[in-house]
């Protein structure tokens, strides 16, 4: 099986009469890709930034972005509130998100021991997902909004590109923390966001912060909070997807497909 990495320049390449059946693409840029007369049966595409795509996603000439977003909002009640732009709206959005994660946590607690550490197709396990969300909170609340000099809790888990982008991974533990410890730190971080949003005013939302990945580019407090909400809902979807793969049963409370 051939493997292509970032060192292989395929930008602008043309594939004609090529069999890519069963191929797997991870962290791959498909922006602007044109496909003609292709067989896409059984194709599984996960594009977390789909709603932000300027060019949309055309399938047989139909832009499907709005359809996908509406269906995700239907499947995950409360997700539609993630773009709230007022303090009260953000408080409601965070409350809905907390309730959703609490229900998923109860589901996980009822599953067989060790389920939280199961990885599906190389994706993060449930425990690793919670660790990454700890890191995301530290990035966008601790580092960006609050301007903390040392924002990261060592139990956090950075994204795969963190080290290759030149950031210091030594602030994070190499050990696998006990799940109970992960839950405790995660609860503290959820409370951090809740408490911050509870005290928000309309004036606070426009306050400029330093973008954690582009320090020379200012970003508003509201934009940082939107990023936290996007991260939370995206990773909740991944977690539910993989739990369903493990158990074969969808999460209780999420409407089934019609």
């Amino acid at each position: 099986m051939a493997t292509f990495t970032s060192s292989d320049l395929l930008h602008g390449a043309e594939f004609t009469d090529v069999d890519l059946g069963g191929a797997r693409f991870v962290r791959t840029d498909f922006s602007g890709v044109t496909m003609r007369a292709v067989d896409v049966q059984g194709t599984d595409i996960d594009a977390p930034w789909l709603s932000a795509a300027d060019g949309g996603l055309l399938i047989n000439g139909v832009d499907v972005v709005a359809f996908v977003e509406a269906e995700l909002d239907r499947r995950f009640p409360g997700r539609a509130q993630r773009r709230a732009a007022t303090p009260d709206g953000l408080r409601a959005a965070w409350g809905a998100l907390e309730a959703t994660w609490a229900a998923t946590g109860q589901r996980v607690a009822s599953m067989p021991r060790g389920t939280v550490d199961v990885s599906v197709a190389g994706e993060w396990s449930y425990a690793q997902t919670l660790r990454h969300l700890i890191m995301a909170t530290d990035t966008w609340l601790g580092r960006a909004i609050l301007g903390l000099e040392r924002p990261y809790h060592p139990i956090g888990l950075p994204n795969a590109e963190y080290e290759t982008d030149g950031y210091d991974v030594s602030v994070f533990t190499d050990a696998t923390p006990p799940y109970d410890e992960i839950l405790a730190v995660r609860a503290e971080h959820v409370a951090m966001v809740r408490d911050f949003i509870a005290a928000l005013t309309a004036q606070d939302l426009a306050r400029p912060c330093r973008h954690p990945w582009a320090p020379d580019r200012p970003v508003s407090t509201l934009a940082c909070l939107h990023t936290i909400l996007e991260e939370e809902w995206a990773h909740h979807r991944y977690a539910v997807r993989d739990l369903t793969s493990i158990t074969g049963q969808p999460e209780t409370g999420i409407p089934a497909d019609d």
Side-chain angles (χ1 to χ4, degrees):
M1 178 181 69
T3 299
F4 299 95
T5 66
S6 57
S7 62
D8 298 294
L9 183 60
L10 297 175
H11 184 86
E14 181 168 324
F15 302 90
T16 303
D17 297 326
V18 175
D19 185 357
L20 295 175
R24 181 176 177 84
F25 303 90
V26 180
R27 296 189 301 277
T28 302
D29 185 353
F30 279 103
S31 59
V33 167
T34 299
M35 302 182 187
R36 294 289 183 261
V38 295
D39 183 354
V40 294
Q41 295 183 65
T43 297
D44 183 355
I45 300 175
D46 199 302
W49 303 283
L50 184 62
S51 62
D54 294 333
L57 175 63
L58 301 180
I59 297 181
N60 292 345
V62 178
D63 189 340
V64 301
V65 172
F67 296 105
V68 172
E69 287 298 301
E71 177 60 14
L72 288 175
D73 288 345
R74 183 187 74 85
R75 294 188 182 194
F76 299 98
R79 180 181 182 272
Q81 298 171 270
R82 73 196 187 284
R83 305 303 292 175
T86 66
D88 284 343
L90 289 165
R91 286 188 272 271
W94 190 255
L97 183 67
E98 278 200 59
T100 296
W101 272 111
T104 302
Q106 291 175 358
R107 175 192 180 191
V108 171
S110 70
M111 296 173 73
R113 185 180 180 84
T115 298
V116 297
D117 295 316
V118 174
S119 169
V120 176
E123 302 288 346
W124 278 333
S125 67
Y126 186 81
Q128 289 173 318
T129 295
L130 297 185
R131 290 179 60 197
H132 178 67
L133 290 174
I134 290 168
M135 183 266 186
T137 299
D138 285 338
T139 296
W140 292 98
L141 178 58
R143 183 178 176 188
I145 296 177
L146 301 180
L148 300 179
E149 184 178 351
R150 294 184 177 87
Y152 292 114
H153 192 288
I155 209 173
L157 182 65
N159 52 296
E161 306 95 320
Y162 190 82
E163 183 174 15
T164 57
D165 286 345
Y167 296 101
D168 181 15
V169 296
S170 68
V171 299
F172 302 106
T173 181
D174 290 330
T176 300
Y179 183 57
D180 286 347
E181 183 179 345
I182 295 172
L183 288 179
V185 177
R186 166 67 171 163
E188 291 172 357
H189 280 61
V190 169
M192 283 170 53
V193 180
R194 183 197 313 128
D195 293 345
F196 179 80
I197 293 177
L200 269 180
T201 66
Q203 291 72 28
D204 291 332
L205 296 179
R207 184 173 65 84
C209 307
R210 175 177 284 189
H211 196 295
W213 309 129
D216 295 333
R217 191 177 84 199
V219 62
S220 70
T221 296
L222 178 60
C224 292
L225 292 173
H226 281 169
T227 300
I228 292 173
L229 286 163
E230 291 282 0
E231 283 270 340
E232 292 278 345
W233 280 112
H235 286 285
H236 178 265
R237 179 170 61 82
Y238 304 152
V240 168
R241 174 199 65 196
D242 291 347
L243 290 173
T244 298
S245 177
I246 293 168
T247 65
Q249 298 294 325
E251 182 172 18
T252 302
I254 297 180
D257 292 342
D258 293 333

